[in-house]
Amino acid sequence: MKRIMLKLSGEALAGEKKTGFDEATVREVALQVKQVVDNRIQVGIVIGGGNFWRGRTSEHIDRPKADQIGMLATIMNCIYVSEIFRSVGMKTEILTPFECGSFTKLFSKDRAVKYFEQGSVVFFAGGTGHPYFSTDTGVVLRSIEVDADGIYLAKAIDGVYDSDPRINPNAKKYDTVSIDEVIEKNLQVVDMTASILAKENKMPMVVFLLNEENSIVNAVVNGRINGTIVTTEGK
């Protein structure tokens, strides 16, 4: 495996506070990603914005404006996490689909690949740059564009279930599931737009629990996945 994309939940980075950042949690993520990079695996990162903004729940804000606020939340997350990564000895770059002054650089595939090959962790902030598309769609789109080998989804849940395990105590967890079944049963690994994009471009995904000891290293470097592998093969 040469290049992977890691999707981090904004809420997960907030720890027990549920909002903002928990520095101990972010530093632990940074130390794990450093081990991945030290194993000569190139890492791209997309971070959700839920620790700052859940605009879709408001009826009083226009959807495009709410989504723009969410894009800015992901940029704040990437700037913060990037700095924590640097503090443990990694090189980082932040790319966005629109100009942000001197805060970030404008995304292009050539620029991203150049940074990967220079050994930098590349943060893809700002989503797709358009409303109505989530960071789920953003991570799949960028993964396809930069020829990633797979997407690793670090979540607050330990895999993919046939129903919500927080509501249904008898929910069944999948060790492996095809993207066709994810779409057919609306299993919500990522949103439907992202799922179809992953299917059409044969982009595999892995879902695992972030807040488990060495979860990122185990999944990416050691191949020990306690969550769910989403395959691009048929059912």
Side-chain angles (χ1 to χ4, degrees):
M1 184 172 298
K2 178 184 178 184
R3 180 180 300 155
I4 65 105
M5 193 73 75
L6 178 64
K7 169 80 185 297
L8 298 171
S9 156
E11 296 97 319
L13 296 179
E16 295 181 358
K17 296 188 297 182
K18 307 299 183 185
T19 187
F21 304 109
D22 180 73
E23 187 164 322
T25 299
V26 177
R27 183 174 171 82
E28 172 59 27
V29 169
L31 291 170
Q32 288 195 61
V33 172
K34 188 173 190 302
Q35 291 185 60
V36 175
V37 172
D38 288 346
N39 276 272
R40 300 183 181 278
I41 298 171
Q42 298 170 0
V43 179
I45 292 184
V46 171
I47 307 175
N51 53 326
F52 283 116
W53 182 251
R54 282 289 181 191
R56 295 178 191 180
T57 61
S58 174
E59 298 176 358
H60 306 292
I61 300 177
D62 183 57
R63 170 67 185 271
K65 296 300 182 186
D67 285 357
Q68 288 170 358
I69 297 170
M71 292 175 211
L72 294 176
T74 71
I75 295 169
M76 290 193 295
N77 280 346
C78 285
I79 291 172
Y80 179 89
V81 176
S82 168
E83 285 302 298
I84 300 299
F85 276 34
R86 290 186 178 206
S87 76
V88 301
M90 285 180 282
K91 296 185 294 182
T92 64
E93 299 287 350
I94 304 172
L95 301 179
T96 48
F98 43 80
E99 296 281 3
C100 292
S102 60
F103 294 172
T104 67
K105 295 184 177 69
L106 195 61
F107 168 78
S108 74
K109 176 179 179 177
D110 289 346
R111 179 171 280 161
V113 169
K114 179 184 75 173
Y115 290 147
F116 280 132
E117 292 177 347
Q118 291 173 347
S120 292
V121 174
V122 183
F123 289 80
F124 298 93
T128 66
H130 300 282
Y132 298 98
F133 293 98
S134 69
T135 51
D136 284 347
T137 304
V139 71
V140 176
L141 177 63
R142 294 293 180 245
S143 299
I144 295 163
E145 287 182 297
V146 303
D147 301 315
D149 295 310
I151 300 170
Y152 289 77
L153 302 164
K155 295 195 171 191
I157 189 169
D158 65 342
V160 180
Y161 287 78
D162 62 356
S163 58
D164 190 338
R166 293 168 295 189
I167 298 172
N168 178 13
N170 297 314
K172 172 193 170 187
K173 178 182 171 183
Y174 296 92
D175 293 325
T176 303
V177 64
S178 73
I179 190 65
D180 287 340
E181 192 169 356
V182 167
I183 293 169
E184 180 182 305
K185 296 182 177 179
N186 192 23
L187 296 178
Q188 300 182 352
V189 175
V190 289
D191 65 34
M192 190 60 71
T193 302
S195 295
I196 293 170
L197 192 60
K199 171 183 167 60
E200 290 178 343
N201 293 274
K202 300 187 182 304
M203 179 59 64
M205 295 181 281
V206 174
V207 182
F208 64 98
L209 180 66
L210 175 63
N211 294 321
E212 186 176 272
E213 187 176 2
N214 290 323
S215 60
I216 297 171
V217 173
N218 283 335
V220 179
V221 178
N222 301 325
R224 293 205 303 269
I225 296 163
N226 293 328
T228 303
I229 298 171
V230 181
T231 69
T232 59
E233 302 165 358
K235 293 183 288 182

